[in-house]
Amino acid sequence: MAPLEAARLARRRLLGPIDIQLRLLAAWTGENPMDVYEELAKANPRSKEIYERNTRVLAQEVVGTVFLPYPFYAASAKGSKITDADGHEYIDLTMGFGPLMLGHNPDIAVNAAKEAADKALMLGIPNPYQGELAELLVEASPCAERVMFCNTGTEATMYAIRLARALTGKHEIAMFDGSYHGAHDYVIMQGDLDPNPSEPATRAQGSGVPPATVEQIKFLPYRDPHAFELIEKHADELACVLIEPVQSSNPRLDVGDYLKELREVCTRTGVLLILDEVITGFRLAYGGGQERFGIKADLATYGKIIGGGLPIGAVAGSQELMKPFDMFGSPNAIFAGGTFGGNPMSMLTGAAVLRELKARPEIYDEMKARGDGLAARINDFLREGDYPAQLLHADSMFHLIFSKDPVERGRHGADEQTMRLEHLYYAHLLKRGVIVPGIHLFFISAAHTEADIDRVVEAMKDSFRAVREAGGF
């Protein structure tokens, strides 16, 4: 078994005791077993206890792609900081994978959640608490006149695709290489750029997705005009084109003209345009990517920020396009709904956070300034030190790529040696009190201060230096 595969298996809880995991990671990265990995583990005995207990009963913890340097357990959080199970505090750049625009546990969200809990944890039947959040979303989203709430961003894209098929009578879906739209069968795919990157092949990420499902997905080349030709060629089969205004795997702001041309092509060909604003909604601007780039989708999906830290998803569109959600009043009705959709906790907490973002528009300028500053300082350091890395960003969204090569589109692949150095880098960063999840996408929030940014910059610089001293870069 290759060291990389063995390390992945250990992290996925298939090899058991933590000392095995540490030895595998040390062998994989080339670090002495007594160096950074074991140093982290020795400082966290409570985390070791939790790990050994959890591996006996859990098949997976949270998200399988979260690959941290040692078994890390976040026990509490406030503002820009997380405290782990052993009492160590870190500057958190995970931010719940994007929902926490105001930071961890802002008083406005906590108070709203407490008030909601006093009313009802969940009801199932219709309640009076969905209306305000829906009004705020309709006001902010350029395409929205009606909203349907669900529980996650994954559910939102699933329902939006089902809606597009019902509206058009067509069944195929197009999306772009490098995209992420959730974990249901129709989107847990990736575009294979070999042999022709201008016409990516489709393949499922992982097992369990039927070949018949894969056949209904067409991948388009991101930021490539040939995508428009493919849409025109397959317009008779395509129900919709699904795109993130800014890709989480490739955060950049030079996409406005491309999105506008995509909008024109979809209008001309009669293919519905769905903007996946699960991450970008209320982050790139109060009106999300649609406001930021001056475009209007046919349908938009939301999640993350609109729940204020609690589970949520939403589909938004015009009154006409949203009619199939009426199970008894539409000839092409679709089934949608679930036990926890529209629950009081998410509705009231989400509304409180959106009211705060609406009342404090300066948050967006402040976060952009801090994000631009962080990226500029790190990229200057990397260029001056001739490090093979670059920090991509779009305001408060970041992705650290371990390559000097220009990143034009798609998820940036890495060979085993590069992945080894990445892992070592993030171990050193964690040792210095900054946490970035294993997916390497990270965020800042309104709670991150200039002092936090300064600490992050210095920790990142020191971690690059430490990896170089260990023989990397």
Side-chain angles (χ1 to χ4, degrees):
M1 179 182 295
L4 174 57
E5 183 182 0
R8 282 175 169 166
L9 288 176
R11 187 63 186 103
R12 291 173 184 173
R13 315 309 199 220
L14 298 180
L15 294 181
I18 194 170
D19 58 334
I20 294 177
Q21 181 183 348
L22 289 170
R23 289 189 177 94
L24 283 166
L25 289 171
W28 178 44
T29 60
E31 282 280 278
N32 184 300
M34 292 300 293
D35 284 346
V36 62
Y37 294 106
E38 191 158 341
E39 185 178 345
L40 287 169
K42 284 181 177 296
N44 294 276
R46 175 62 182 145
S47 292
K48 178 180 179 180
E49 292 172 6
I50 296 169
Y51 170 85
E52 292 175 346
R53 176 183 180 181
N54 285 2
T55 53
R56 290 195 291 268
V57 291
L58 288 173
Q60 174 182 298
E61 291 183 322
V62 196
V63 182
T65 53
V66 177
F67 190 30
L68 289 163
Y70 74 100
F72 179 95
Y73 295 92
S76 62
K78 183 68 177 176
S80 62
K81 310 294 197 306
I82 269 182
T83 301
D84 70 13
D86 288 274
H88 306 123
E89 186 179 81
Y90 304 81
I91 295 177
D92 180 34
L93 299 180
T94 310
M95 286 291 116
F97 304 115
L100 305 176
M101 272 288 283
L102 300 178
H104 287 285
N105 281 30
D107 291 344
I108 194 161
V110 171
N111 292 338
K114 288 178 179 177
E115 291 175 14
D118 287 340
K119 292 178 171 64
L121 292 176
M122 71 85 61
L123 293 166
I125 58 178
N127 65 69
Y129 307 119
Q130 296 185 62
E132 183 185 7
L133 183 57
E135 289 168 352
L136 288 163
L137 187 50
V138 165
E139 179 185 33
S141 175
C143 75
E145 294 176 341
R146 295 288 188 274
V147 176
M148 191 283 294
F149 288 115
C150 49
N151 297 300
T152 66
T154 286
E155 285 188 11
T157 60
M158 179 183 72
Y159 287 132
I161 289 169
R162 186 178 300 168
L163 176 61
R165 287 171 162 161
L167 288 165
T168 65
K170 298 181 286 187
H171 302 292
E172 295 187 2
I173 303 153
M175 54 190 184
F176 289 83
D177 67 271
S179 62
Y180 179 76
H181 300 291
H184 58 85
D185 282 7
Y186 284 110
V187 296
I188 195 66
M189 309 275 184
Q190 62 187 59
D192 190 342
L193 302 181
D194 291 328
N196 182 3
S198 288
E199 295 195 14
T202 302
R203 61 185 176 92
Q205 292 191 50
S207 302
V209 179
T213 301
V214 177
E215 290 170 5
Q216 295 184 45
I217 310 303
K218 293 191 183 301
F219 264 90
L220 304 173
Y222 186 56
R223 299 177 68 243
D224 183 336
H226 187 58
F228 307 141
E229 298 175 25
L230 292 173
I231 294 170
E232 292 178 339
K233 178 180 177 181
H234 298 286
D236 290 342
E237 297 90 45
L238 289 175
C240 61
V241 172
L242 184 60
I243 189 170
E244 301 163 277
V246 167
Q247 285 193 341
S248 57
S249 66
N250 185 6
R252 57 198 308 150
L253 294 172
D254 58 349
V255 293
D257 289 343
Y258 190 77
L259 291 171
K260 289 174 182 175
E261 188 167 357
L262 176 63
R263 169 69 280 179
E264 191 277 327
V265 170
C266 287
T267 300
R268 186 174 69 249
T269 58
V271 176
L272 294 177
L273 176 61
I274 303 176
L275 283 191
D276 182 353
E277 297 251 40
V278 170
I279 292 177
T280 57
F282 297 90
R283 178 169 287 278
L284 291 180
Y286 186 71
Q290 292 181 85
E291 176 186 329
R292 184 63 180 265
F293 299 115
I295 57 173
K296 183 178 178 180
D298 294 306
L299 300 169
T301 57
Y302 292 90
K304 296 191 184 286
I305 290 170
I306 68 168
L310 293 176
I312 200 167
V315 181
S318 69
Q319 180 178 353
E320 185 66 24
L321 293 180
M322 297 290 282
K323 280 183 178 179
F325 282 116
D326 181 355
M327 276 288 291
F328 303 104
S330 174
N332 55 349
I334 65 171
F335 182 84
T339 301
F340 295 97
N343 72 82
M345 296 289 291
S346 297
M347 297 299 107
L348 293 172
T349 306
V353 168
L354 293 198
R355 284 198 305 270
E356 182 74 1
L357 292 173
K358 180 181 177 182
R360 295 174 56 198
E362 69 277 5
I363 283 175
Y364 292 96
D365 290 336
E366 291 169 358
M367 289 176 63
K368 174 176 171 52
R370 287 178 183 148
D372 289 350
L374 191 161
R377 292 164 69 184
I378 292 300
N379 283 324
D380 286 347
F381 168 81
L382 295 173
R383 281 191 296 269
E384 291 167 4
D386 197 31
Y387 289 93
Q390 57 189 297
L391 182 58
L392 305 180
H393 92 295
D395 295 350
S396 60
M397 298 169 56
F398 304 84
H399 196 119
L400 185 60
I401 303 292
F402 285 77
S403 171
K404 289 181 178 179
D405 297 336
V407 179
E408 294 299 331
R409 65 187 211 212
R411 295 186 180 275
H412 198 274
D415 58 26
E416 186 171 328
Q417 173 65 12
T418 300
M419 293 176 69
R420 183 180 295 123
L421 295 175
E422 283 187 41
H423 199 275
L424 182 56
Y425 169 82
Y426 285 108
H428 280 286
L429 192 63
L430 196 64
K431 176 183 173 182
R432 287 159 176 78
V434 176
I435 182 165
V436 172
I439 56 174
H440 310 330
L441 169 67
F442 64 92
F443 304 88
I444 59 172
S445 72
H448 285 86
T449 65
E450 290 289 355
D452 288 331
I453 300 301
D454 288 343
R455 280 188 57 195
V456 168
V457 168
E458 291 310 309
M460 292 179 80
K461 290 180 179 179
D462 285 347
S463 298
F464 275 108
R465 294 184 186 109
V467 174
R468 177 166 281 178
E469 289 172 4
F473 299 143

